[in-house]
């Protein structure tokens, strides 16, 4: 089987699956159970200054798909609500008992040099492998000048990162908030501050739903609510893009990235790694299914790597980055056309109505004698948009077939139709 | 109507035990089951299920509304196409209609969305504070509907919706037709048929007169004189004969007569029960009869059909119900002789084995006998010619024995429309009758309103 072990920003772990800083890593009991289940590492839930934070009830709400499948979870829980002393003692013990696993400590203290100067040596003394700076928490803590309030100001990110590098010899991972306009600015700031790695994304500002009888959003606290942080499979596309943006930014070239956001399967993890991540963090999937899922993720990833001849994660890490570019460099001459396999088509008509009403009127519907309809692509009209394939409920029934146009690669910067094209 | 069986014993089971055996064959979906099942619908466009529904219910739309937790909206969608959607949800052979056509019934999946069950769920759980349909302003037109079965009731409701006044003439004591008198008790339980009719009548403008029989105390000629239009939803009320000597011996009777009695019985333990019985036929009525006898406590129930399984009118689903109720299905045998005991009562039947020879059914020459205390014939219903005896009615063009109608349910007589089983159009199904009634009402409305505009 392929070797899943990693060395990420100097931190060794038997596999790339780490639990993110969140309720599952709040205390020794959970973390020990996670290590017993086979997780490669954990990022201990964020420590702060004493007195510890106080949490409210309730704390989570969800965005559901069909049949109560959870697409995403929103939470308004704060950083650890246990004392610094208890957390440090437990971290010390767990690291001693599980020396082969990565144990990173998440931190959030006020944006004052002394606060960081105070806490960093205490954390280093636990024997932990690294620290992660929580610059992403979007709810509650920013109102106190911490979390995303820091992460949204690149100058603060750089400044605090520099303090951490100055007062601590452990690798420093800067966790980035997605609640910004350009993730590269935050990553560049962390890089300038000396960060050993960035991890992303933290949760996204969200309200999942509203109780229309009580006229209050979820989660409900008394008769009020507040926005929380959104995570789970729904945020994966946003996270993947942000990871890719940093991975292909020359300004942060080579900066290790720990991918976070909606990872629930080996395939999700492989995708983050393909876009440049050296390790991944998981939370929501574990909160929905328990720690046991890591076994399935490790098994699936190793088998896929075996099938593709990848002996280590480094063998394919970042391979999709070079194929990710700006729109203007896409090949204008590339053409694909949908093809519907009549053998597997079940005749639901979803592709037809989607194309007919909202796209290019490129799927003909022909009534058959038995009252069903036959659907066929009108090739001259098809622009290869993929919408029909997306709406099709049958796997592999609609194939997007690349066409041999005989035309060479041509991007928008070269296209004669572009009035601002670059001189050749 | 079960007099020919009066010499037989009564069931041994207590009334409450029997009532339990005749409760819902297919229990209603729970809210959770409905949520899961409705989410399975792919919301097809030009959906094959709609095409397969004789009453053209917009199935993807009503299921989508269930999934959206909009049960009133779902129910209204169903009822606007089929005002008897509640009974159709229970009695329709969905396995050969909407659910057969469901795209999830494909070879890879073989699991159609449970459309009938969802339809029942929506109608059982939608709560309307008032009748969901509002009548148009009164037109001053009066229409006679003959027969308060599914066709007549559907026609009456749609006519009332358009602002017409409707008088329904019904021979029986209760409205509902086969829903009240002809469906297996476990398919349409409790007083659902009557509750559904009461709901339908909630629209107003419909009067039902009972004890009115066309060809008896009612003539088509007088109806044509007194009303602006007439709709005939007569059904099929004649029982076909086996054509054998001793066909009227004690112990032999039409299945429909027994089922009618069984549906009306308050205490099932008072019904005559044949410990060993024969059912002749292979349609859904034959299956209903056989299964109900089995559930009443008959030990030995045999269903005999002159052709093979593939030719049976009963669907595979119905045949499976029969087998699950210990009914033995005999094929390729036709009734030859009714066997009587010394008292002249049925003791069994001799059958002639049949085969297909050059495409024709013929006897093999071999015979066999089955012992039975009762024989139920379920070989189909025929048109009751007595109902069209008056001179005006006698002019109606026929197709075979049934009334000929065009696509707008018009008969050969101007102003006279017909629908349901008494016509030759479509299948003999409740849902088909509902559609006929609806189409006829639209045609009547269009005709009467055209006349108004022209005047």
């Amino acid at each position: 089987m392929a070797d899943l072990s990693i060395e990420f920003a100097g931190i060794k772990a038997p596999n790339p699956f780490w639990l993110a800083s969140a309720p599952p890593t709040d205390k020794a009991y959970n973390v020990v159970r996670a290590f017993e289940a086979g997780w490669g590492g954990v990022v201990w839930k964020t420590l702060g200054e004493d007195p510890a934070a106080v949490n409210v009830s309730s704390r989570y709400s969800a965005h559901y798909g069909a049949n109560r499948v959870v697409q995403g979870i929103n939470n308004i829980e704060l950083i650890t609500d246990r004392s610094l002393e208890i957390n440090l003692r437990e971290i010390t013990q767990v690291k001693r008992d599980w020396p082969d696993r990565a144990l990173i400590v998440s931190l959030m203290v006020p944006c004052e040099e002394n606060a960081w100067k105070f806490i960093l040596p205490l954390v280093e003394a636990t024997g932990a492998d690294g620290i992660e700076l929580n610059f992403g928490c979007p709810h509650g803590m920013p109102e106190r000048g911490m979390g995303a309030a820091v992460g949204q100001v690149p100058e603060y990110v750089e400044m605090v990162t520099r303090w951490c590098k100055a007062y601590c010899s452990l690798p420093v991972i800067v966790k980035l908030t997605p609640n910004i306009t350009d993730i590269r600015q935050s990553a560049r700031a962390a890089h300038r501050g000396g960060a050993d790695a960035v991890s992303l994304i933290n949760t996204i500002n969200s309200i999942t739903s509203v109780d229309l009888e009580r006229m209050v959003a979820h989660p409900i606290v008394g008769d009020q609510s507040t926005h929380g942080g959104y995570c789970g499979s729904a945020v994966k596309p946003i996270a993947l893009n942000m990871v890719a943006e940093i991975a292909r930014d020359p300004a942060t070239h080579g900066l290790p990235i720990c991918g976070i956001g909606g990872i629930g399967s080996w395939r999700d993890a492989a995708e983050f790694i393909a876009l440049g991540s050296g390790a991944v963090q998981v939370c929501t999937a574990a909160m929905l299914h328990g720690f046991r899922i890591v076994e399935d993720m490790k098994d699936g990833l190793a088998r896929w790597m075996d099938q593709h001849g990848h002996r280590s994660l480094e063998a394919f890490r970042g391979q999709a980055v070079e194929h990710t570019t700006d729109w203007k460099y896409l090949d204008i001459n590339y053409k694909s056309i949908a093809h519907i396999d009549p053998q597997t088509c079940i005749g639901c008509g979803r592709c037809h109505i989607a194309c007919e009403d909202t796209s290019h009127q490129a799927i003909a519907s022909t009534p058959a004698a038995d009252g069903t309809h036959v659907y066929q692509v009108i090739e001259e009209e098809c622009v290869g948009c993929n919408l029909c394939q997306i709406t099709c409920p049958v796997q592999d029934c609609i194939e997007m077939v690349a066409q041999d146009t005989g035309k060479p690669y041509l991007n928008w910067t070269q296209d004669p139709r572009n009035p601002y094209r670059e001189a050749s | 109507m079960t007099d020919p069986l009066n010499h037989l014993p009564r069931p041994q089971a207590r009334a409450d035990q029997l009532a339990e055996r005749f409760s819902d064959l297919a229990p209603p979906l729970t809210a959770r089951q409905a949520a899961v099942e409705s989410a399975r619908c792919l919301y097809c466009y030009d959906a094959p299920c709609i095409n397969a529904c004789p009453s053209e219910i917009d199935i993807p739309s009503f299921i989508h509304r269930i999934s959206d937790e909009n049960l009133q909206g779902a129910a209204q969608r169903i009822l606007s196409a089929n005002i008897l959607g509640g009974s159709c949800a229970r009695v329709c052979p969905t396995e050969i209609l909407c659910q057969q056509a469901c795209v999830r019934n494909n070879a890879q999946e073989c699991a159609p969305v449970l459309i009938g069950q969802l339809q029942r769920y929506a109608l059982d759980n939608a709560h309307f504070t008032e009748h969901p349909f509002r009548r148009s302003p009164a037109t001053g037109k009066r229409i006679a509907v003959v027969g308060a079965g599914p066709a007549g009731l559907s026609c009456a409701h749609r006519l009332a919706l358009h602002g017409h006044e409707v008088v329904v003439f019904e021979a029986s004591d209760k409205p509902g037709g086969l829903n009240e008198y002809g469906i297996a008790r476990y398919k349409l339980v409790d007083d659902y048929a009557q509750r559904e009719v009461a709901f339908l009548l909630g629209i107003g403008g419909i009067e039902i007169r009972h004890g009115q029989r066309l060809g008896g105390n009612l003539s088509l000629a007088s109806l044509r004189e007194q009303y602006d239009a007439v709709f005939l939803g007569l059904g099929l009320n004649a029982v076909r004969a086996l054509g054998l000597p001793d066909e009227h011996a004690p112990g032999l009777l039409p299945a429909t007569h027994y089922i009618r009695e069984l549906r009306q019985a308050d205490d099932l333990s008072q019904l005559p029960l044949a410990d060993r019985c024969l059912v002749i036929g292979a349609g859904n009525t034959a299956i209903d009869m056989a299964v109900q006898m089995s559930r009443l406590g008959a030990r030995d129930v045999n269903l005999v059909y002159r052709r093979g399984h593939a030719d049976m009118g009963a669907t595979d689903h119905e045949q499976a119900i029969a087998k699950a109720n210990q009914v033995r299905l005999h094929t390729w045998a036709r009734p030859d002789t009714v066997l009587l005991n010394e008292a002249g009562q049925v003791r069994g039947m001799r059958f002639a084995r049949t085969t297909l020879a050059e495409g024709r059914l013929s006897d093999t020459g071999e015979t066999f006998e089955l012992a039975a205390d009762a024989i139920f014939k379920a070989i189909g219903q025929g048109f009751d010619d007595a109902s069209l005896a008056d001179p005006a009615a006698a002019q109606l063009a026929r197709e075979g024995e049934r009334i000929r109608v065009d696509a707008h349910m018009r008969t050969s007589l101007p102003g006279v429309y017909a629908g349901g089983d008494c016509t030759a159009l479509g299948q003999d199904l409740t849902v088909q009758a509902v559609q006929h009634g609806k189409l006829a009402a639209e045609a009547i409305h269009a005709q009467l309103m055209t006349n108004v505009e022209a005047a």
Side-chain angles (χ1 to χ4, degrees):
Chain A
M1 286 277 240
D3 177 15
L4 295 181
S5 70
I6 57 167
E7 181 170 344
F8 177 81
I11 303 165
K12 288 194 168 98
N15 66 63
F17 297 104
W18 298 358
L19 282 167
S21 166
T25 62
D26 186 36
K27 54 187 184 296
Y29 180 83
N30 307 72
V31 173
V32 168
R33 282 181 67 84
F35 285 158
E36 285 168 351
W39 290 84
V42 304
V43 183
W44 201 280
K45 185 172 164 81
T46 308
L47 311 188
E49 285 185 323
D50 284 333
V54 177
N55 276 302
V56 293
S57 170
S58 60
R59 302 179 192 179
Y60 307 140
S61 62
H63 174 56
Y64 292 102
N67 286 337
R68 283 185 65 79
V69 171
V70 174
Q71 317 273 35
I73 288 185
N74 164 76
N75 88 86
I76 58 170
E77 191 169 293
L78 303 182
I79 63 174
T80 183
D81 50 18
R82 306 188 314 149
S83 76
L84 183 61
E85 187 268 330
I86 290 175
N87 276 308
L88 292 172
R89 194 171 65 225
E90 289 187 359
I91 291 167
T92 307
Q93 187 63 46
V94 172
K95 183 62 204 178
R96 191 175 295 147
D97 295 343
W98 297 86
D100 69 321
R101 309 301 170 91
L103 204 170
I104 290 97
V105 178
S106 174
L107 294 174
M108 183 198 292
V109 293
C111 219
E112 295 157 12
E113 190 168 359
N114 280 337
W116 291 94
K117 196 172 176 178
F118 168 76
I119 201 168
L120 287 165
L122 300 178
V123 173
E124 193 161 354
T126 63
D129 299 296
I131 59 171
E132 182 181 80
L133 310 186
N134 182 341
F135 291 163
C137 180
H139 47 268
M141 304 314 290
E143 298 169 20
R144 307 175 195 180
M146 292 180 272
V150 178
Q152 286 164 341
V153 183
E155 291 76 14
Y156 293 170
V157 172
E158 181 180 345
M159 177 176 74
V160 178
T161 305
R162 189 162 284 131
W163 291 339
C164 291
K165 286 305 290 179
Y167 300 119
C168 174
S169 64
L170 296 174
V172 174
I173 304 169
V174 177
K175 188 169 181 178
L176 304 179
T177 174
N179 300 310
I180 40 77
T181 49
D182 183 354
I183 194 70
R184 293 175 304 178
Q185 303 303 325
S186 313
R188 287 170 188 168
H191 192 44
R192 284 194 301 272
D196 297 282
V198 288
S199 58
L200 68 154
I201 58 174
N202 206 310
T203 56
I204 302 173
N205 288 337
S206 66
I207 288 177
T208 49
S209 55
V210 175
D211 182 329
L212 290 175
E213 303 306 316
R214 297 174 59 186
M215 282 297 169
V216 56
H218 291 288
I220 298 170
V221 180
D223 59 0
Q224 296 174 303
S225 188
T226 187
H227 83 264
Y230 197 45
C231 56
S233 66
V235 312
K236 181 190 134 186
I238 297 165
L240 274 179
N241 171 58
M242 290 185 166
V243 165
E245 286 291 290
I246 295 170
R248 66 190 192 90
D249 181 8
T252 49
H253 182 76
L255 180 65
I257 302 169
C258 188
I260 314 169
I263 295 166
S265 69
W266 69 264
R267 185 178 294 275
D268 295 331
E271 289 171 13
F272 273 88
I273 294 165
L275 281 174
S277 300
V280 295
Q281 294 181 29
V282 176
C283 173
T284 312
M287 290 179 73
L288 291 172
H289 307 296
F291 293 143
R292 59 195 166 138
I293 57 164
V294 74
E295 282 299 320
D296 299 339
M297 295 199 287
K298 287 192 297 187
D299 186 75
L301 182 60
R303 287 178 196 277
W304 174 82
M305 288 169 63
D306 284 348
Q307 281 166 14
H308 292 77
H310 301 309
R311 301 178 68 89
S312 71
L313 294 168
E314 282 304 308
F316 73 97
R317 189 175 68 81
Q319 279 191 356
V321 175
E322 59 189 279
H323 299 290
T324 308
T325 184
D326 295 343
W327 191 97
K328 64 186 173 191
Y329 299 124
L330 298 176
D331 182 4
I332 291 280
N333 284 335
Y334 176 79
K335 185 164 176 57
S336 69
I337 286 178
H339 177 261
I340 302 169
D341 175 9
Q343 299 304 316
T344 53
C345 174
I346 59 173
C348 69
R350 286 159 54 124
C351 60
H352 163 73
I353 196 57
C355 190
E356 191 70 15
D357 277 355
T358 70
S359 277
H360 293 81
Q361 298 76 47
I363 296 179
S365 167
T366 312
D370 64 356
T372 62
H373 289 69
V374 176
Y375 299 99
Q376 203 170 12
V377 174
I378 305 166
E379 297 198 347
E380 313 78 79
E381 301 296 333
C382 179
V383 301
C385 73
N386 295 349
L387 180 62
C388 56
Q389 192 185 46
I390 290 168
T391 62
C392 182
V394 180
Q395 182 92 33
D396 299 331
C397 174
I398 298 183
E399 186 189 358
M400 303 306 297
V401 183
Q403 304 294 303
D404 182 5
T405 61
K407 296 177 183 171
Y409 168 88
L410 179 77
N411 69 48
W412 189 239
T413 67
Q414 307 156 332
D415 194 307
R417 291 167 294 191
N418 177 6
Y420 308 105
R421 69 180 177 279
E422 294 159 13
S424 56
Chain B
M1 302 193 90
T2 56
D3 289 351
L5 301 185
N6 275 348
H7 61 286
L8 295 177
R10 308 298 149 182
Q12 292 186 339
R14 292 194 317 269
D16 59 325
Q17 293 170 325
L18 290 174
E20 177 61 28
R21 288 184 207 163
F22 282 81
S23 59
D24 255 318
L25 182 68
L29 297 179
T30 64
R32 181 70 193 129
Q33 287 172 320
V36 170
E37 195 59 23
S38 61
R40 293 187 63 235
C41 175
L42 292 175
Y43 200 50
C44 295
Y45 184 76
D46 277 337
C49 56
I50 303 178
N51 185 66
C53 174
S55 66
E56 299 172 335
I57 294 172
D58 189 341
I59 294 163
S61 171
F62 94 70
I63 295 181
H64 196 235
R65 290 179 183 196
I66 292 175
S67 193
D68 271 355
E69 300 176 71
N70 176 11
L71 291 184
Q72 270 86 342
Q76 181 115 25
R77 256 285 189 263
I78 296 161
L79 295 169
S80 62
N82 182 335
I83 194 65
L84 297 178
S87 51
C88 287
R90 291 162 169 81
V91 307
C92 263
T94 53
E95 65 276 10
I96 58 165
L97 298 172
C98 52
Q99 289 180 198
Q100 183 181 58
C102 176
V103 299
R104 301 201 80 154
N105 194 28
N106 65 75
Q108 281 77 40
E109 194 169 355
C110 301
V113 175
L114 300 176
I115 298 167
Q117 287 274 64
L118 286 170
Q119 180 166 317
R120 175 175 176 179
Y121 179 80
L123 293 173
D124 282 358
N125 293 285
H127 300 292
F128 295 105
T129 49
E130 55 188 21
H131 195 71
F133 298 95
R134 195 170 291 277
R135 296 182 70 194
S136 298
T139 61
K141 301 291 180 186
R142 297 181 75 233
I143 293 127
V145 169
V146 184
L153 290 168
S154 164
C155 184
H157 184 269
R158 185 57 64 107
L159 287 168
L161 179 70
H162 287 314
H164 308 298
E165 291 294 314
V166 185
V167 179
V168 181
F169 298 90
E170 168 58 42
S172 299
D173 295 338
K174 291 183 184 177
L178 289 181
N179 280 353
E180 177 58 37
Y181 294 111
I183 300 289
R185 188 160 168 142
Y186 46 73
K187 286 184 184 167
L188 204 56
V189 301
D190 305 327
D191 60 343
Y192 186 78
Q194 290 311 306
R195 281 190 282 136
E196 188 175 41
V197 174
F199 164 78
L200 179 150
L201 296 177
I203 194 169
I206 304 172
E207 178 198 350
I208 301 183
R209 296 182 190 165
H210 294 280
Q212 308 287 311
R213 185 182 296 275
L214 193 66
N217 54 358
L218 208 61
S219 79
L220 184 55
S222 62
L223 290 176
R224 290 183 79 196
E225 275 173 31
Q226 294 167 31
Y227 293 89
D228 295 297
V230 179
F231 174 78
L232 302 176
L234 307 176
L236 295 174
N237 296 300
V239 175
R240 291 220 176 96
L242 293 168
L244 299 176
D246 301 319
E247 187 158 348
H248 300 287
L252 200 159
L253 82 166
T256 50
H257 289 188
Y258 194 94
I259 292 171
R260 185 183 180 95
E261 203 78 357
L262 190 152
R263 282 198 60 82
Q264 298 303 312
D266 292 326
D267 180 355
L268 295 172
S269 69
Q270 297 304 310
L271 291 166
L273 171 65
D275 197 30
R276 301 168 302 171
C277 62
L278 291 172
V279 178
I280 311 301
N284 288 350
T285 301
I287 301 278
D288 286 353
M289 184 66 234
V291 170
Q292 293 189 111
M293 281 315 273
S294 182
R295 291 194 169 205
L296 279 173
R299 279 187 311 165
D300 190 15
V301 183
N302 293 284
L303 188 148
V304 186
Y305 179 47
R306 63 200 168 101
R307 292 177 182 269
H309 285 282
D311 307 307
M312 286 188 170
T315 63
D316 290 346
H317 175 70
E318 292 287 325
Q319 293 181 39
I321 293 172
K323 289 170 190 164
N325 283 274
Q326 294 83 48
V327 174
R328 275 197 293 278
L329 305 180
H330 303 263
T331 52
W332 301 110
R334 68 163 183 83
D336 180 71
T337 311
V338 181
L339 304 174
L340 304 179
N341 61 18
E342 298 82 19
Q345 298 159 336
V346 164
R347 69 170 175 85
M349 186 169 251
R350 181 179 303 128
F351 292 91
R353 290 208 185 278
T354 57
T355 186
L356 269 187
E358 294 170 359
R360 293 176 63 95
L361 196 67
S362 57
D363 291 355
T364 63
E366 193 184 348
T367 64
F368 67 97
E369 293 181 6
L370 289 174
D373 309 312
I375 300 171
F376 299 96
K377 50 181 178 178
I379 53 173
Q381 296 288 107
F383 192 90
D384 181 7
D385 281 322
S387 60
L388 299 185
D390 75 75
Q395 294 173 37
L396 283 170
R398 309 278 278 272
E399 190 168 337
E401 58 177 0
R402 306 196 195 191
I403 300 170
R404 173 182 292 169
V405 288
D406 65 11
H408 299 290
M409 315 314 294
R410 291 181 294 205
T411 68
S412 59
L413 290 178
V416 179
Y417 300 74
D421 290 355
C422 71
T423 66
L425 197 65
Q427 303 161 276
D428 290 348
L429 295 171
T430 306
V431 63
Q432 183 74 74
V434 172
Q435 177 73 354
H436 283 175
K438 185 177 83 182
L439 292 177
E442 294 297 347
I444 291 167
H445 175 65
Q447 182 62 44
L448 295 180
M449 292 300 100
T450 307
N451 294 350
V452 167
E453 282 165 26

